[in-house]
Amino acid sequence: MKLPLRLPNTLFTRLAFAFTGLFTAATFVITWSITAETARSQLDLHQRLGENLIQLTRPAIQRMLIESDIAELKNYMTLVVHDPSIARISIVDDRNISLYEFDRDVDQASWITRLMTTGTDVPRVLTANFSIAGKSWGRMQIVLSYKPLNSKVLLAVINSVALSAAILIITLILTYMMLARFTRPLRPLTEVAREYARGNWFSDVTLIQSGTREIQELTSAFAEGATTMQHYIHSLEETRELLEHSESRLRTLINSMHEVLFELDSEGRLSFINPSWQTITGFTIDDSLGKNFSDYLADDSAEIFAKENLGKINERNREVLLKTANGDSIWVTLDAATQLDSSGKFTGIIGTLGDISETVELNRMLSTYQEELYHLSVTDPLTKLYNRRHFDTQFDIILSDHQKEQKPLCLLLIDIDGFKFINDTYGHPFGDEVLKNISDLLQQLVRRNDYIARLAGDEFAMVLKNTNIKDATRIAYKLHDNINQAQIQLPVGHIQIQCSIGVAEAPTHGDTPQALVRAADVALYQSKRAGRNRVQVLSDDISKATMSIFGQGFHIRSALESGNILPAFQPIMELENRNPVAYEVLARMRHNGEIIAAKDFITVAEELGLTREVDLYIIEQALVTAPRDHSLFVNVDLSSFNDETFVRRLRDLIRPACEAGRRITLEITERESVPITQDLIDDITQLRTAGCQLALDDFGSGYSTYKFLELFKPDYLKIEGTFVQSILESESSRRIVNHIHELAASFGMDTIAENIESDAILNAVKAIGIRHGQGIFLGKPELL
């Protein structure tokens, strides 16, 4: 039996039950509405979160795409994808190549979410395209997850159910207490919900604190939602301000660029230019905009910007000539690239122009300077022929090439006979004119592929490529005849030039540059020894002695370069007490660990013209090596004074020492007859004026003359050692020594007896009255 439903029979109870029921129903409806609204709001909020995420990350991602900084992009996106609202993110570049992929399990909308958000159509897939000035840099796609939304909707539903149950129970117990308190907080919540629905997240409605947990949670949820949205809105405002600031900075940067930034439309007309355009070209921006860019190009690069070529332009660091307002042209570097819209359609060109006119001019000047510098480094400034430095390098290459191909090669060394006489007689300007005339003649006679250089002074070298000794000899005779026929005009009359030529063949006479030059030098040496003015071919009948001389000459040169020419010091003694009054500086050469006396190599030095170099080197080393209290006798050949360079270097060495108080005596030797000229007198006088004394060596032999004694009045006469050595056995030798001593005394000079080799000779010399002497008996030459 079914019991009838019995309601409370009191109006209060009925009203309470009715009110409770109505209130409960109302609560359920309101709760449902709020929950649904919350769900839709959360859905919308979720969507806005994705959109905000795109807006917030767009500048950074776009910058990284432009800079192609993929590593930074990946690091940056690792921070972004922490948000559980994101199910999938993909970023591709303008060629649709994937740059970044993130994929999380995609939760579908739960049935509660679908129920609560029925009728709300919000896209869950968001796409952002990155492009600047019509150029696409890439695209980002975000797929939102329903998982957070499902959780919030489920939570809202659970809360609503719990709230309804609580209200029903509490209402039954505390009807009168809860009626007022229940309805009171709902009013501001409803108002807030209404404001939220209108999009007003900054409503000034004050929410009332409620003792009901569900309403309090709902109030808190509304407050938190409002706070979150306010934060996002504030972030968006900051982002907008940042973008405005960045735009301002970009505008300032563009306006302050030294380079010209320009943009052309699809027709090649200027649509944008920064202020540097006017600075560089002088054309105003207003007058230039809208005109064809090609009108401002001065060279053939204007063809690049022809209308049919615009869509294919891609230039990097191209140098072009740009017209200026004053009619001139300047060099600029052009960088330009085409711009396409999202559909790939050509929209224009963007590029830059950099002023490099000063750099181009500087490079041109530098190139010219380098060419001139190289020319100066490899050519002789007087004759314009290649110099010795270039010859040494090129001859090595030429000889190596001929040896590889097994082709013959000959070397000619050409020397002007009597050139020193020409210089001394007519002056160096005329000597230079002779050298230039000879070089011109050699260049006229040289074959197309042959090589010619000036080695030093009046010596020239000619390399005859692919030529055997027979043909080289014929060419040498032809050169000899032409040079001998050359006449150099004088102010009155003319002078006839003569030459000596040495010929050597590779590999017959040498298979290295040094060997072949030495062989040709030997042939030239033989030509001069045979009387000059001839062609000499190196042949088997040239004596080994000549080759030996050149071999020793090589050792001498090597010793000079390596510091193995050494000064030795032999004392000049006071005969009475045997105390040294001075030291004669003698040359020694160290070779293979042995010390070689001057007599064993000085003749070779004379033959090869190295005497002056050896003398100067020994004097220099002696001044450095000897103690400052040592008086020094230094040997100088009288013929060396004909060389102005030698005289200048000797004066530079001797004068400072003499002026500093050091006693230096020039010991003059005569290896050949030397005419006494006014220049010679002046040179020796200058040295003596500076404080240098003078001694005449080996008096009594060679070319010594009374004229020399009369003109220079030496401080010392050194008596020839052969007379001193035979003073005991030969009466004539004793008379000669005595005569020289008396002669010196008559001129007020001191005498020095050389080659004193015994006590008996010493006593004999002292008996004559000679006060000074030197020899092995008194002291050997010693190295310090």
Side-chain angles (χ1 to χ4, degrees):
M1 181 177 176
K2 196 173 182 180
L3 294 175
L5 180 60
R6 295 186 66 186
L7 297 174
N9 57 5
T10 63
L11 180 59
F12 181 83
T13 303
R14 287 177 182 268
L15 183 58
F17 273 97
F19 186 80
T20 299
L22 290 172
F23 191 81
T24 301
T27 301
F28 178 80
V29 172
I30 292 171
T31 302
W32 178 274
S33 175
I34 292 175
T35 303
E37 184 64 28
T38 301
R40 286 191 290 272
S41 298
Q42 288 295 332
L43 182 61
D44 184 63
L45 178 62
H46 204 222
Q47 174 65 20
R48 288 177 180 271
L49 175 62
E51 294 174 351
N52 291 338
L53 181 62
I54 289 176
Q55 295 301 320
L56 288 171
T57 59
R58 177 187 289 271
I61 295 175
Q62 185 168 275
R63 176 182 61 78
M64 295 174 199
L65 288 176
I66 294 175
E67 296 177 353
S68 298
D69 195 344
I70 306 306
E72 185 179 355
L73 175 65
K74 290 181 178 179
N75 291 335
Y76 181 74
M77 293 308 298
T78 301
L79 301 176
V80 173
V81 299
H82 285 167
D83 193 329
S85 300
I86 300 172
R88 183 182 297 118
I89 292 181
S90 65
I91 300 175
V92 297
D93 59 14
D94 57 333
R95 294 172 293 178
N96 209 32
I97 296 174
S98 176
L99 303 179
Y100 180 82
E101 288 284 342
F102 174 80
D103 195 359
R104 181 188 285 136
D105 291 340
V106 179
D107 290 278
Q108 301 299 323
S110 66
W111 66 271
I112 296 176
T113 301
R114 290 196 299 273
L115 180 62
M116 291 298 175
T117 58
T118 301
T120 304
D121 185 15
V122 179
R124 307 299 292 167
V125 178
L126 306 176
T127 301
N129 290 311
F130 303 102
S131 62
I132 296 178
K135 174 176 174 55
S136 175
W137 292 96
R139 182 179 71 256
M140 178 173 70
Q141 187 180 74
I142 299 178
V143 179
L144 300 177
S145 175
Y146 276 91
K147 185 175 181 179
L149 184 60
N150 290 341
S151 299
K152 291 183 179 180
V153 172
L154 179 60
L155 180 61
V157 171
I158 293 172
N159 289 340
S160 298
V161 172
L163 176 62
S164 299
I167 291 173
L168 180 60
I169 295 171
I170 294 172
T171 301
L172 290 173
I173 299 171
L174 302 170
T175 302
Y176 296 106
M177 295 175 61
M178 296 299 296
L179 285 173
R181 296 186 66 182
F182 181 76
T183 57
R184 187 165 171 261
L186 292 177
R187 292 191 187 97
L189 283 176
T190 304
E191 184 64 26
V192 170
R194 186 177 295 110
E195 292 298 322
Y196 288 176
R198 295 171 181 169
N200 181 14
W201 295 92
F202 296 91
S203 173
D204 57 358
V205 176
T206 303
L207 298 179
I208 300 173
Q209 297 295 324
S210 173
T212 306
R213 182 171 61 83
E214 289 81 357
I215 297 178
Q216 183 62 39
E217 289 179 356
L218 184 59
T219 302
S220 298
F222 268 86
E224 290 175 2
T227 301
T228 301
M229 289 307 300
Q230 289 170 7
H231 172 72
Y232 282 131
I233 292 171
H234 181 69
S235 297
L236 287 174
E237 288 293 327
E238 288 182 345
T239 301
R240 182 182 60 79
E241 292 176 0
L242 181 61
L243 288 174
E244 290 178 352
H245 177 66
S246 298
E247 182 181 356
S248 175
R249 288 183 61 192
L250 180 60
R251 187 180 298 108
T252 302
L253 179 63
I254 291 174
N255 290 339
S256 61
M257 285 175 61
H258 293 296
E259 294 83 6
V260 175
L261 179 64
F262 67 90
E263 187 175 15
L264 310 182
D265 60 18
S266 58
E267 299 296 322
R269 296 185 293 263
L270 286 165
S271 57
F272 171 81
I273 40 179
N274 66 344
S276 292
W277 172 265
Q278 186 167 340
T279 302
I280 292 177
T281 67
F283 294 110
T284 63
I285 295 177
D286 291 338
D287 290 341
S288 302
L289 290 175
K291 293 183 179 178
N292 287 329
F293 180 65
S294 58
D295 294 342
Y296 294 98
L297 296 176
D299 59 357
D300 55 3
S301 56
E303 277 297 315
I304 301 174
F305 291 89
K307 188 173 182 180
E308 62 273 13
N309 297 328
L310 289 176
K312 299 177 290 185
I313 288 178
N314 185 16
E315 297 292 337
R316 290 290 181 272
N317 292 322
R318 176 160 185 162
E319 295 182 1
V320 298
L321 273 174
L322 190 67
K323 296 177 182 177
T324 61
N326 60 10
D328 295 331
S329 299
I330 60 172
W331 283 102
V332 296
T333 54
L334 169 68
D335 289 318
T338 56
Q339 301 294 299
L340 307 175
D341 60 16
S342 57
S343 64
K345 182 180 178 181
F346 170 67
T347 59
I349 296 170
I350 189 169
T352 59
L353 298 170
D355 185 3
I356 58 168
S357 53
E358 292 185 1
T359 302
V360 170
E361 179 62 21
L362 182 62
N363 288 338
R364 186 190 64 79
M365 294 175 62
L366 181 61
S367 178
T368 302
Y369 172 74
Q370 289 174 336
E371 290 178 3
E372 293 176 352
L373 186 63
Y374 174 75
H375 182 73
L376 289 173
S377 70
V378 301
T379 59
D380 170 52
L382 176 64
T383 63
K384 309 307 178 186
L385 298 176
Y386 289 119
N387 59 20
R388 180 60 182 261
R389 176 184 176 186
H390 191 266
F391 171 81
D392 290 340
T393 302
Q394 291 301 309
F395 187 40
D396 193 1
I397 296 172
I398 295 170
L399 182 58
S400 176
D401 290 342
H402 277 66
Q403 288 177 335
K404 288 178 182 178
E405 298 178 9
Q406 296 183 344
K407 293 181 179 179
L409 178 142
C410 287
L411 173 65
L412 274 57
L413 291 184
I414 305 156
D415 189 86
I416 308 303
D417 293 336
F419 183 72
K420 184 178 183 304
F421 172 79
I422 295 173
N423 261 342
D424 294 341
T425 304
Y426 302 104
H428 287 282
F430 183 77
D432 291 345
E433 191 65 28
V434 170
L435 292 176
K436 287 192 285 187
N437 275 269
I438 294 301
S439 67
D440 291 342
L441 182 60
L442 292 176
Q443 290 181 81
Q444 294 172 13
L445 298 175
V446 71
R447 300 177 305 179
R448 181 187 301 272
N449 294 323
D450 292 338
Y451 177 92
I452 185 169
R454 180 190 178 193
L455 300 186
D458 60 338
E459 186 175 357
F460 300 84
M462 183 179 292
V463 180
L464 304 179
K465 301 179 182 179
N466 197 21
T467 305
N468 56 35
I469 192 69
K470 180 180 179 180
D471 292 336
T473 304
R474 178 179 51 79
I475 293 172
Y477 275 107
K478 181 179 179 181
L479 285 174
H480 181 265
D481 292 342
N482 279 273
I483 292 174
N484 282 6
Q485 292 172 11
Q487 295 181 353
I488 309 298
Q489 296 299 319
L490 296 170
V492 177
H494 64 272
I495 186 172
Q496 197 83 25
I497 303 299
Q498 294 180 340
C499 71
S500 298
I501 301 178
V503 185
E505 180 188 34
T508 305
H509 301 132
D511 56 0
T512 67
Q514 296 80 7
L516 197 59
V517 169
R518 187 162 58 247
D521 209 12
V522 168
L524 180 62
Y525 173 76
Q526 285 295 106
S527 173
K528 288 182 174 293
R529 293 200 66 177
R532 306 180 186 271
N533 190 28
R534 66 191 64 226
V535 174
Q536 179 67 57
V537 179
L538 191 67
S539 58
D540 295 337
D541 60 352
I542 293 181
S543 66
K544 293 182 180 180
T546 303
M547 294 297 292
S548 175
I549 287 176
F550 276 80
Q552 293 179 54
F554 172 79
H555 294 314
I556 296 173
R557 291 189 181 95
S558 177
L560 284 169
E561 294 173 359
S562 60
N564 283 318
I565 296 293
L566 309 171
F569 301 88
Q570 184 176 28
I572 299 174
M573 310 293 283
E574 178 74 40
L575 298 182
E576 187 65 35
N577 53 27
R578 299 194 185 184
N579 289 328
V581 296
Y583 293 85
E584 181 179 358
V585 180
L586 302 171
R588 295 292 184 265
M589 182 172 70
R590 181 188 290 119
H591 179 64
N592 293 334
E594 296 182 3
I595 300 300
I596 301 173
K599 63 183 180 62
D600 295 325
F601 68 85
I602 200 66
T603 303
V604 175
E606 293 174 4
E607 291 280 357
L608 300 179
L610 295 174
T611 308
R612 295 167 188 175
E613 192 171 350
V614 170
D615 287 346
L616 288 172
Y617 185 83
I618 286 296
I619 293 171
E620 181 180 10
Q621 294 302 310
L623 292 173
V624 174
T625 306
R628 294 185 59 83
D629 59 348
H630 279 24
S631 298
L632 301 180
F633 277 57
V634 295
N635 290 281
V636 178
D637 187 81
L638 191 63
S639 65
S640 297
F641 283 91
N642 293 328
D643 187 339
E644 291 184 5
T645 302
F646 174 86
V647 174
R648 183 176 62 254
R649 290 179 59 190
L650 178 66
R651 188 165 52 240
D652 292 342
L653 288 173
I654 297 296
R655 180 181 290 175
C658 292
E659 292 177 349
R662 189 163 195 169
R663 291 184 59 191
I664 305 294
T665 301
L666 288 182
E667 188 170 325
I668 302 298
T669 60
E670 275 192 295
R671 296 187 179 94
E672 58 181 293
S673 179
V674 177
I676 299 177
T677 64
Q678 186 59 46
D679 287 340
L680 175 63
I681 297 173
D682 293 342
D683 291 336
I684 294 180
T685 302
Q686 287 180 16
L687 289 170
R688 300 194 74 181
T689 302
C692 183
Q693 292 185 314
L694 194 65
L696 185 58
D697 191 23
D698 294 334
F699 191 81
S701 66
Y703 301 96
S704 55
T705 65
Y706 291 99
K707 185 67 174 177
F708 189 92
L709 299 181
E710 180 186 2
L711 288 174
F712 297 108
K713 295 182 175 58
D715 301 279
Y716 301 96
L717 280 185
K718 298 188 75 175
I719 303 174
E720 164 64 28
T722 56
F723 299 129
V724 175
Q725 282 180 311
S726 59
I727 193 171
L728 299 176
E729 294 83 13
S730 172
E731 178 63 21
S732 60
S733 293
R734 190 190 66 79
R735 289 181 179 180
I736 291 173
V737 171
N738 186 60
H739 171 72
I740 293 174
H741 174 66
E742 291 176 351
L743 177 66
S746 67
F747 277 93
M749 308 171 191
D750 281 338
T751 51
I752 300 173
E754 297 185 297
N755 289 21
I756 298 177
E757 297 182 355
S758 67
D759 189 57
I761 294 176
L762 172 62
N763 292 328
V765 169
K766 287 171 59 179
I768 293 175
I770 298 172
R771 296 189 303 124
H772 301 101
Q774 69 181 119
I776 300 299
F777 179 72
L778 297 174
K780 296 178 180 179
E782 298 288 345
L783 299 177
L784 295 184

